[in-house]
Amino acid sequence: MHQRTDYSRSPERAPVGPLLSLSGVNKYFGSLHVLVDVNLNVAEGEVVVVVGPSGSGKSTLCRTINRLETIESGSITLEGRELPSEGRALAALRADVGMVFQSFNLFAHKTILENVTLGPVKVRKTSTSEAEKRAMKLLDRVGVASQARKYPAQLSGGQQQRVAIARALAMNPKALLFDEPTSALDPEMVNEVLEVMASLARDGMTMVVVTHEMGFARRAANRVVFMADGRIVEEAEPEQFFSAPSSERARDFLSKILSH
């Protein structure tokens, strides 16, 4: 029998204060309106899981928060300050708001340890010895410390994604964005990555997670945001969203994915 992983949040971790705020955000790709008047606030310590059908704008939403995609109108703020659009301020933003991608994005020619220390040394100006010490702690935390001297190609997909999480954590970010972090993984590797993410959630890391993993959404999220056609259709606590969604679109979406 497959063991069900407990992704539950710690009850004593109540969100405090707003950290990220999107207001009236619109984004186009040519004539395609991919984000339509999106409003979203994410409190410090909150885990927001974004779900919805393919092409609903979930990944684009995630990428605008890190300025990997520009927006046509609206505003996005971190701790009340508008996101910078270029230069050093943008590099600092990307250090403060880490991102974990679908495809790992590790440097193939660098060892695992070098991948995790590069950002702190180059951007945070941490000494190499200090960066390596912290990197080893983080690699241990995500369960791949024994792989530190290897190269990405020598690791499984699940191990590479856990390294990518350690690399994001090495920058000591204020928030982490996850853009479908398990969708490129073989099924048996999905849980090992979700377990690392769940432990971050329990420790109070502010997270915005785009995922198809409904078990994770149900058990680790403070709030589920449902998107369709570039809009936020509804948002609710997981229990309410999964048991009694308020919109026809969400009911239709859940009936298709939860019946399999």
Side-chain angles (χ1 to χ4, degrees):
M1 178 83 180
H2 179 66
Q3 181 73 35
R4 178 179 248 201
T5 306
D6 180 17
Y7 298 130
S8 306
R9 301 278 331 238
S10 300
E12 71 278 6
R13 284 277 181 186
V16 288
L19 186 76
L20 284 164
S21 182
L22 288 77
S23 177
V25 169
N26 285 276
K27 168 71 184 171
Y28 290 84
F29 289 131
S31 61
L32 188 64
H33 200 172
V34 288
L35 293 178
V36 184
D37 294 324
V38 169
N39 297 297
L40 179 67
N41 290 311
V42 181
E44 186 178 329
E46 189 177 21
V47 176
V48 173
V49 175
V50 185
V51 302
S54 294
S56 58
K58 306 184 301 290
S59 289
T60 304
L61 173 74
C62 205
R63 292 169 69 84
T64 61
I65 296 172
N66 216 22
R67 273 281 194 251
L68 290 168
E69 299 286 359
T70 56
I71 59 175
E72 268 67 47
S73 63
S75 70
I76 305 176
T77 60
L78 174 67
E79 295 182 321
R81 293 190 299 275
E82 192 89 22
L83 297 193
S85 56
E86 59 189 13
R88 285 186 181 167
L90 180 58
L93 164 79
R94 291 196 178 135
D96 283 342
V97 183
M99 188 148 183
V100 178
F101 299 88
Q102 185 176 337
S103 54
F104 325 140
N105 287 14
L106 299 174
F107 292 111
H109 62 289
K110 293 187 180 294
T111 65
I112 296 311
L113 184 61
E114 287 168 341
N115 265 280
V116 178
T117 57
L118 188 64
V121 170
K122 296 280 189 202
V123 180
R124 297 286 197 211
K125 306 302 180 194
T126 309
S127 71
T128 302
S129 63
E130 188 59 37
E132 287 186 352
K133 196 186 305 180
R134 179 160 160 73
M136 288 307 298
K137 279 185 184 164
L138 290 169
L139 289 171
D140 184 52
R141 175 174 183 178
V142 301
V144 288
S146 61
Q147 314 294 325
R149 304 292 170 187
K150 292 183 179 175
Y151 290 86
Q154 296 173 278
L155 274 59
S156 71
Q159 288 173 323
Q160 288 188 62
Q161 193 59 294
R162 285 183 281 153
V163 171
I165 294 172
R167 179 180 60 180
L169 289 171
M171 300 299 282
N172 222 7
K174 293 170 181 170
L176 278 182
L177 310 173
F178 293 85
D179 185 11
E180 304 207 9
T182 60
S183 60
L185 299 177
D186 292 333
E188 70 270 18
M189 295 174 189
V190 169
N191 259 5
E192 65 191 55
V193 173
L194 293 178
E195 281 168 15
V196 170
M197 293 166 62
S199 79
L200 295 175
R202 286 192 294 270
D203 287 349
M205 171 61 76
T206 307
M207 294 160 62
V208 177
V209 183
V210 174
T211 186
H212 293 290
E213 297 294 333
M214 296 300 138
F216 178 83
R218 191 188 284 269
R219 295 191 285 280
N222 293 109
R223 186 159 39 116
V224 176
V225 170
F226 174 72
M227 290 189 73
D229 303 321
R231 300 175 190 272
I232 293 178
V233 177
E234 71 175 283
E235 46 187 301
E237 291 186 358
E239 189 53 44
Q240 184 189 336
F241 177 75
F242 286 104
S243 62
S246 61
S247 68
E248 186 61 44
R249 289 299 304 269
R251 284 194 291 275
D252 181 56
F253 172 74
L254 289 171
S255 72
K256 285 174 178 161
I257 58 162
L258 297 180
S259 60
H260 293 296

